[in-house]
Structures are given as structure tokens and as C-alpha cells.
Amino acid sequence: MELSLHRLRMLRELRRRGTVTAAAAALHYTASAVSQQLAQLERDVGAKLFERLGRRVQLTELGILLTEHAEEILGSVERATLALEEAQGSMSARLTAGVWASVASGLLPTALTALAADYPGIQVRTKELAPEATADAVRDGTLDLSFVIDYSDAPMEWSDGLERAVVAVERLHAAVPAGALPSATAPLDALAEHPWILASPKSHFGRAIRIACQRHGFQPKINHEVEEQSTAMAMVGAGLGVTLVSDLGLRLLRPPGIDVVALAPPLLRTVSIAYRRTEIRRPALHLVVAAVQDAAAELGLGTEPALP
């Protein structure tokens, strides 16, 4: 019997998530691809590992037994990888990072170019995820590291198994139709009577901004609920409402027809890199963190966390 590590990871996620769809989403595959691989795993083992109960999948006793061994096997593989990195001086490593648009465009090009010049053996691959999903992907082992966000009014839930290194502290600015506000600086409640364009409260950004507005004494009047910041900024430029945008977001998105107004007092968000806590130090990972911190410093972004 020859067991595939790839299929064992899928089996582990199935037990953690309870459905093939949820396991596929966590691993960034289609549900059909995961189903096919799990079916192949059953053929490899020569025994029934799953039973369907409606939309959920229940592991058989043999499935549970194999999953318990899969945890040990995959943990051993990760420990072996880390030990090899340490033995090699960690100047050669392949890391996968979770990113989203503003850090991918605003920080990574500078950081990875500098890293490649100094440490060509360190390769960083990226996967774009929603900011609220990246920490789970690190915790599950799908990613080696990820960018995560804490808002001053809405810190993210944190896991004891993860470490984080602050790489930047960003201000949030009001993005308003040209001429909508009379000055270049305004309190957040100056936007109370304006229509808003904002992400849903399911997203960390949408939830954090709603909390900040409530703390300033108003509920935002949301006319347009959109998830993509580029869409929100385009709608602001068309005069359809106001939104908030970060320092890095402004480097990526600034269509015509928009005034950017500084908020006073400022709203801040802390950008960190999350990674798993291990007994073995990973020099390559910390070199990536340092490169991103240097790139943020070049942009004038501090690293004093705006956490509660």
C-alpha cells in the first residue's frame, strides 16, 4: 500500500470540516476534485473510509483510524522539512504565503525583489485569499505564512498555535466624491449623512467599519454592499457614495472623481504576518518577514501595532 500525502491532507480536512465542499474550500480545490481524490484513497487502501449522511460525510472506523495516522504522518513531514531548513541554514526554502490585493501589489513586489537579490534560494509563492480566511489556512498547514489584519475597533480572533509579526500600521481614509466634504480632514461622523458603499458584515473589513461608525454615534446608510474595494472606489468616483480606504489601498486604487480625506482622530489597522508556532526556528520565514517590514518602512508605514 502506498499512501499519497496529498490525499491524506484531503482526508484530514474532511474530518475537520465535515463536508467535501468545506474541505475543498479550505484546500482551494473544487469539490469534485476532492471527491475524486478521496475515492482514489479508498481504492489505495482497499477499504471503505466514508459513509454519506445527507450532505455530510461520516468517516468509518477505518477512516477515523487512517485520519489519526494522517495527522502524525503530516506532522512528521512538516517537522522533517523544518529540520532540513535549519540544517541547511535556511538559505534554501519554498514558502507559500496568503495575500490579498493591497499587500500583493503594495508590499510584495519590493519585498520579494530585495529577498531574491540577497537570498535567491528562498522561493515565495502566493495565494490570494480573503483576509479573514488566511489565518485558518496557516493553522491548517495549507500556508506557511499569511498576511492578517487587526482593526483598532475590531481585533481578529487569535489562535494559541500561531505567532504574528507586525509589518505595517495603516491609516484608513475617507474616499468621497469630489467636493463632497469641504476640508482635507474630517471626523468619521462627518460621513454620517452620506450614502455608503461598504463590504458586508461577514467580512472583517465590513464588520470593523460598522463597529467604528457605531462608536462614533451613527449607523452607516449603506446603499451599495460590495466586497471588492476596486468596485467600491469606482462607485465613489461615480458619485454614488462614500467608503474608507487604507494607505496601501490608495497606492492601488485612486480613480478620478475622488477626494481622499484624512480622518481625525485616525482609524488604524495593523497588518501582520501570521505563522505557526514551532520548536524549530525557521530563518527563511523570518527573512521574508524582515523583507516585508523593510518594504513597509520604505513606504513610511510604521510597525507600532494599533492593537488593543
Side-chain angles (χ1 to χ4, degrees):
M1 181 191 306
E2 186 171 330
L3 296 175
S4 159
L5 294 177
H6 182 58
R7 292 174 190 138
L8 289 179
R9 288 190 182 92
M10 292 182 173
L11 177 65
R12 180 178 65 179
E13 283 305 318
L14 179 63
R15 186 178 188 186
R16 289 176 174 177
R17 309 289 175 176
T19 67
V20 170
T21 300
L27 294 168
H28 314 294
Y29 289 99
T30 64
S32 62
V34 172
S35 292
Q36 291 170 14
Q37 291 298 310
L38 291 175
Q40 183 59 52
L41 180 60
E42 281 192 318
R43 291 192 289 272
D44 294 342
V45 173
K48 191 171 180 61
L49 301 177
F50 322 101
E51 294 176 344
R52 287 202 171 273
L53 297 175
R55 297 177 63 185
R56 300 185 68 82
V57 175
Q58 180 173 297
L59 295 176
T60 64
E61 289 186 8
L62 285 177
I64 293 171
L65 177 65
L66 182 57
T67 305
E68 290 171 351
H69 284 285
E71 292 281 3
E72 295 180 15
I73 292 166
L74 294 171
S76 295
V77 169
E78 181 177 9
R79 288 190 293 274
T81 301
L82 298 182
L84 285 171
E85 284 183 20
E86 187 175 44
Q88 292 171 342
S90 282
M91 297 305 106
S92 177
R94 296 180 67 184
L95 303 172
T96 303
V99 302
W100 64 88
S102 62
V103 296
S105 61
L107 289 178
L108 281 188
T110 300
L112 296 187
T113 298
L115 187 72
D118 294 335
Y119 303 99
I122 299 176
Q123 300 176 39
V124 180
R125 296 177 296 178
T126 61
K127 289 186 178 182
E128 186 171 355
L129 301 173
E132 53 272 16
T134 53
D136 282 343
V138 174
R139 187 181 299 109
D140 294 342
T142 308
L143 302 174
D144 295 293
L145 64 147
S146 70
F147 288 86
V148 296
I149 301 175
D150 283 282
Y151 292 87
S152 51
D153 289 295
M156 69 175 288
E157 295 181 4
W158 203 246
S159 167
D160 291 340
L162 297 183
E163 300 279 1
R164 64 179 161 191
V166 175
V167 295
V169 176
E170 298 183 88
R171 296 163 298 167
L172 295 177
H173 309 266
V176 305
L181 289 179
S183 67
T185 304
L188 183 61
D189 57 17
L191 305 176
E193 298 305 317
H194 291 263
W196 277 71
I197 303 159
L198 191 59
S200 76
K202 292 181 180 179
S203 73
H204 196 185
F205 176 71
R207 184 168 61 255
I209 301 310
R210 285 169 173 81
I211 292 171
C213 292
Q214 291 165 10
R215 187 168 63 83
H216 284 78
F218 71 98
Q219 294 280 356
K221 301 173 181 177
I222 300 168
N223 280 11
H224 303 283
E225 192 170 279
V226 298
E227 301 304 321
E228 294 295 330
Q229 191 72 53
S230 57
T231 305
M233 293 289 278
M235 295 176 82
V236 173
L240 299 179
V242 303
T243 193
L244 299 188
V245 61
S246 69
D247 287 319
L248 287 174
L250 283 175
R251 295 179 61 83
L252 176 66
L253 306 163
R254 198 160 182 173
I258 289 179
D259 287 341
V260 175
V261 177
L263 295 175
L267 292 181
L268 303 176
R269 74 178 193 179
T270 303
V271 180
S272 305
I273 289 179
Y275 51 93
R276 288 184 300 284
R277 182 178 296 139
T278 63
E279 294 180 0
I280 299 173
R281 189 176 182 275
R282 301 188 70 180
L285 188 149
H286 292 286
L287 287 170
V288 173
V289 171
V292 175
Q293 288 172 329
D294 289 344
E298 287 185 26
L299 297 176
L301 302 176
T303 56
E304 287 300 318
L307 304 176

